[in-house]
Amino acid sequence: MSLFWRIFSLNAAGPIVAAALLLGPVTVSTPTLPAEALVVVGGLALLLVGNALVLRLGLAPLQRLGRAMATADLLRPGARAAVAGPAETAELITTYNTMLDRLESERAAGAARALSAQERERRRIAQELHDEVGQTLTAVLLQLKRVADRAPEGLREEVHQAQEATRAGLDEIRRIARRLRPGVLEELGLASALRALATEFTTHGLSVRHQVPGELPPLTEESELVLYRVAQEGLTNTARHSGADRAELHLRPCPDAVELVVRDNGKGLGEAPEGAGIRGMRERALLVGAELSVGPGQEIRLRVPAGGGR
């Protein structure tokens, strides 16, 4: 029965019963006798309780829908409001769930286009850094070497310092280019790329221990890129924000999936809200149907379904 007919039937029952009593043999004395007052009060109480019960049961699904709408997160898809209640309420909840399906699909498609454009831009910038800036700094190094060979003894030390500064700048340019465009991922595969990433983040203040097997289930290129970028972002957060001195990078095959785990001994997020880095990880995970979880402390776990592959 619809919510309208439930409320209408209960509200109509009161006047109908009252009219039947007035037209029947029941009378009310003047002044009213205690027994008659008790009957009237009892009937009124029953009518109010019934009305409140019908409204409570009819509006409960709407309250659950409101809570579902307040906690909905498109980066954590799959949560839907339970379809229940009268016909109007059930239809409203079904429409809301359908809208969520459409929004999640459109968001995933938009995120895929945005991240694809981002990867293309990363490749372009990395190529320009390598070809333009890198070659320019290499030419500067060669010129400084010729200047150092011809410079007086008093100026050679300053020229050598300029050489070292230029060489450090060239190394930094190459490092940035490698992070923008993981060439080792394209050339040697995911396992070698993750080992190189762990080595790159191993500095004097941070030790990264990695466990990456050579044999993995077949993965698509998109899945490999998502695994690499999530590991890169996780180690970047560790190096910049966690204050940790030890980190672990594990990649292990699971039944029909591959699981990546990045953890450290730092302070973690605590009560702080998730930043752009973790939201970016969640968006990347959605592109390949993966599950991303941020555990207690500082642990990132990504489970990518296997399939396709190179």
Side-chain angles (χ1 to χ4, degrees), residues 194 197 226-236 249 260 262:
L194 290 179
L197 187 66
V226 167
L227 284 165
Y228 181 85
R229 290 301 188 195
V230 168
Q232 185 183 51
E233 183 65 31
L235 291 177
T236 300
L249 173 64
L260 172 74
V262 181

Side-chain angles (χ1 to χ4, degrees), residues 134-147:
Q135 291 181 7
T136 300
L137 289 179
T138 302
V140 171
L141 271 178
L142 295 176
Q143 292 175 358
L144 286 174
K145 185 179 184 304
R146 288 196 295 268
V147 171

Side-chain angles (χ1 to χ4, degrees), residues 48-188:
L48 293 176
V49 169
N51 206 346
L53 183 62
V54 169
L55 289 175
R56 172 64 67 181
L57 294 177
L59 297 179
L62 291 178
Q63 294 175 346
R64 291 195 296 269
L65 176 61
R67 290 193 294 268
M69 295 173 68
T71 58
D73 188 354
L74 296 181
L75 292 179
R76 297 178 176 85
R80 296 291 182 270
V83 180
E88 299 94 331
T89 306
E91 183 179 0
L92 177 62
I93 297 175
T94 302
T95 303
Y96 168 73
N97 291 338
T98 304
M99 180 190 69
L100 270 187
D101 293 337
R102 186 174 65 253
L103 287 177
E104 288 179 359
S105 176
E106 292 175 355
R107 181 184 178 88
R113 291 192 296 269
L115 291 176
S116 177
Q118 183 185 83
E119 288 298 330
R120 289 196 301 269
E121 188 67 12
R122 284 171 178 260
R123 290 172 180 266
R124 185 188 66 81
I125 295 175
Q127 192 69 30
E128 289 186 359
L129 286 175
H130 182 273
D131 293 345
E132 301 296 333
V133 182
Q135 291 181 7
T136 300
L137 289 179
T138 302
V140 171
L141 271 178
L142 295 176
Q143 292 175 358
L144 286 174
K145 185 179 184 304
R146 288 196 295 268
V147 171
D149 293 338
R150 300 175 183 177
E153 187 67 28
L155 294 178
R156 286 185 181 179
E157 182 62 28
E158 296 183 7
V159 175
H160 285 316
Q161 292 177 1
Q163 282 181 294
E164 292 302 320
T166 305
R167 187 174 291 107
L170 181 60
D171 292 339
E172 182 67 15
I173 290 295
R174 289 172 177 168
R175 186 186 66 82
I176 294 174
R178 284 196 304 269
R179 296 192 65 185
L180 287 173
R181 179 176 178 267
V184 66
L185 176 63
E186 300 174 356
E187 298 168 3
L188 301 179

Side-chain angles (χ1 to χ4, degrees), residues 25-64:
V26 179
T27 59
V28 179
S29 303
T30 303
T32 306
L33 298 177
E36 296 172 342
L38 183 62
V39 170
V40 173
V41 172
L44 180 61
L46 287 176
L47 183 63
L48 293 176
V49 169
N51 206 346
L53 183 62
V54 169
L55 289 175
R56 172 64 67 181
L57 294 177
L59 297 179
L62 291 178
Q63 294 175 346
R64 291 195 296 269

Side-chain angles (χ1 to χ4, degrees), residues 279-302:
R279 294 186 65 86
M281 294 183 202
R282 295 193 184 279
E283 289 183 350
R284 288 184 180 277
L286 289 178
L287 298 181
V288 293
E291 298 177 4
L292 179 77
S293 61
V294 181
Q298 179 68 14
E299 179 182 278
I300 298 172
R301 192 177 297 268
L302 177 68

